[in-house]
Amino acid sequence: LDTGVAERVHSAPSDIRDLDAALADLARLDERLVRVVEMRYFCGMKDAEIAQALGVTDRTVRRDWEKARLVLAHALREAT
């Protein structure tokens, strides 16, 4: 995920559906990963803020973010 994805998502309803489906699949894998994505990508929170909100370390947030990005990138590639 990067800011370019956000621009494409806003331009195509099918991309929004694909992203929603990918987030739902991610939630079935690990709900915390979805929370990290929501807080960082959609809310613009920093790792320390997310860590405090979730009760985990900054390092855990960074690992979760990387894992979530990989899973979502794979799912979105599959959807296209």
Side-chain angles (χ1 to χ4, degrees):
L1 290 175
D2 57 29
T3 56
V5 171
E7 292 166 4
R8 289 191 302 274
V9 168
H10 291 297
S11 64
S14 64
D15 288 345
I16 294 170
R17 286 189 297 274
D18 292 343
L19 180 58
D20 184 58
L23 287 170
D25 290 344
L26 183 61
R28 285 189 283 280
L29 175 68
D30 188 334
E31 182 67 29
R32 190 177 71 209
L33 296 180
V34 174
R35 296 292 163 238
V36 169
V37 171
E38 291 171 341
M39 290 180 197
R40 183 172 178 159
Y41 187 71
F42 296 110
C43 298
M45 294 171 71
K46 305 290 183 205
D47 290 347
E49 296 170 317
I50 298 168
Q52 184 177 14
L54 296 177
V56 298
T57 66
D58 293 8
R59 184 173 179 192
T60 297
V61 170
R62 286 190 298 276
R63 282 193 311 258
D64 285 353
W65 172 247
E66 289 303 317
K67 183 176 181 180
R69 285 181 61 213
L70 290 171
V71 171
L72 290 173
H74 178 73
L76 292 173
R77 261 193 313 276
E78 296 281 320
T80 58

